[in-house]
Amino acid sequence: MERVIFNEDHHAFRASAKEYCDRSLVPRMEQFLEEKTLDRAVWLEAGKQGFLGLDVPEEYGGSSVGDYRFNAVFAEELSKVSASLSSCFGIHYDCAAPYLVDLGTEEQKQRWLPKFCSGEYVAAIGMTEPSGGSDLAALKTSAKKTDGGWVLNGSKTFITNGDMADLVIVAARTDSSKGAKGITLFVVEEGMDGFARGRKLDKVGQTESGTSELFFEDVFVAEDNVLGTVDRGFIHMMERLAQERVGAAVSNIAQATQILAETIEYVKERKAFGQPVGSFQYNKFLVAELVTKAEVTQAYVDNAIVAHDEDRLSAVDAAKVKWWSASVQNEILDACVQLHGGYGYMNEYRVARAWRDARVTKIWAGSNEIMKELIGRDLGL
């Protein structure tokens, strides 16, 4: 079905995003896989093209488009190439940007945002801890008040862009007696004494994304690196998780739809018993179901994109679209692997990589089980 949420400006932007992906990313994917990270050159090129400052006002180097549909378009084009690309860039321009723009002081925005938009600074978000997972209120990283600032101790894990980030938005406990109401956000910068990166984590999928552990040992963070209000960090995070989750949904269905389209072409050409495997009734019916389910999910995600753009997407609705899109994505890709037969299990085939890359989407940005818990609570259960 034809999508109706985009206008000519969005279509022109999509063409630019696709051209960037085709020129700067696609030819280098094997290198990124081997190095398990994206290099600085692709970030600088993305900044030069204006893709990193979509949510940043013009006075700080961004484009201040004020339209979330542009964010969604860029995420879709990245996801068509690789889920890892959407993960890395998304954390930066779609997740971290609202924190810096909405919560930053004028001095902080002048200090960080121009290089954030140019790609000279790469951002990460340090929330998840080794013992906490999706339970953000239970984090153990602490910050103790001292003269002129805070002393940070603790660790984070599964941090996308953690291997190269220049700015890390870190959630830390500043008042152990207040539970979720005693958490504060800090911006930790590259080069701060006591801030160290662990190894690049060896993941099942999304090999291109530089995911790592982060360690903080008596890191002095000056008062002017506090982001937002002291002890309101949990609220700040909750207020911005809807964008992270709808962004995940956008990427989920874009990746699945792309690989499904490639699989359809494959089953038209691949022959068994003298005929294309796609012509067998079971496979034909399966593909028909997958295409329909993808289009239904796309319509649901599109509705969420518009709702978020109009500032009416609730946290519960964001949870719904996040878990549903992840579930459908994994169902589609599992079937695509099966339709490829033995070749679907070979890493040289995009379908195999996409299948591995997608598995994490049912876990991150709040596991699907946590999403259902939120929905159930909202229903009074």
Side-chain angles (χ1 to χ4, degrees), residues 27-223:
R28 303 185 61 199
M29 290 307 296
E30 292 302 321
Q31 175 192 339
F32 300 150
L33 281 166
E34 182 178 341
E35 296 178 354
K36 297 184 178 180
T37 193
L38 309 181
D39 65 22
R40 186 70 64 169
V42 300
W43 288 95
L44 293 172
E45 180 62 23
K48 183 179 179 181
Q49 297 298 320
F51 296 126
L52 303 181
L54 297 176
D55 279 342
V56 177
E58 293 181 11
E59 59 264 36
Y60 307 114
S63 52
S64 191
V65 293
D67 183 342
Y68 186 74
R69 290 173 293 179
F70 287 97
N71 293 43
V73 166
F74 190 40
E76 288 177 355
E77 292 307 308
L78 291 167
S79 298
K80 291 176 184 178
V81 180
S82 165
S84 294
L85 299 176
S86 184
S87 301
C88 292
F89 284 107
I91 285 292
H92 182 93
Y93 83 89
D94 199 43
C95 296
Y99 283 92
L100 299 175
V101 172
D102 298 345
L103 303 175
T105 64
E106 180 62 25
E107 185 276 333
Q108 288 173 337
K109 288 187 279 193
Q110 292 282 359
R111 179 156 43 113
W112 294 322
L113 288 176
K115 290 186 177 181
F116 175 96
C117 294
S118 69
E120 294 171 83
Y121 285 168
V122 172
I125 298 181
M127 295 183 184
T128 306
E129 298 188 349
S131 61
S134 296
D135 187 5
L136 296 179
L139 61 84
K140 296 180 180 179
T141 297
S142 67
K144 302 296 183 183
K145 193 72 178 72
T146 189
D147 291 342
W150 302 77
V151 176
L152 192 66
N153 281 283
S155 63
K156 302 292 180 178
T157 194
F158 310 141
I159 306 304
T160 302
N161 295 342
D163 68 319
M164 67 183 304
D166 305 280
L167 305 173
V168 183
I169 300 170
V170 178
R173 186 167 300 285
T174 43
D175 190 331
S176 59
S177 68
K178 292 182 179 180
K181 296 181 180 180
I183 294 172
T184 302
L185 301 180
F186 300 87
V187 175
V188 174
E189 300 183 58
E190 168 67 16
M192 286 184 171
D193 289 341
F195 170 41
R197 309 170 197 275
R199 60 193 173 89
K200 290 180 187 177
L201 298 175
D202 185 16
K203 307 184 299 293
V204 170
Q206 302 218 10
T207 308
E208 307 97 315
S209 66
T211 307
S212 69
E213 302 163 305
L214 302 178
F215 300 99
F216 312 96
E217 183 176 354
D218 293 332
V219 179
F220 175 74
V221 183
E223 198 69 51

Side-chain angles (χ1 to χ4, degrees), residues 234-246:
F234 186 77
I235 295 172
H236 293 327
M237 290 187 287
M238 293 302 102
E239 290 173 342
R240 285 153 190 84
L241 278 177
Q243 178 150 323
E244 180 179 355
R245 287 168 180 165
V246 71

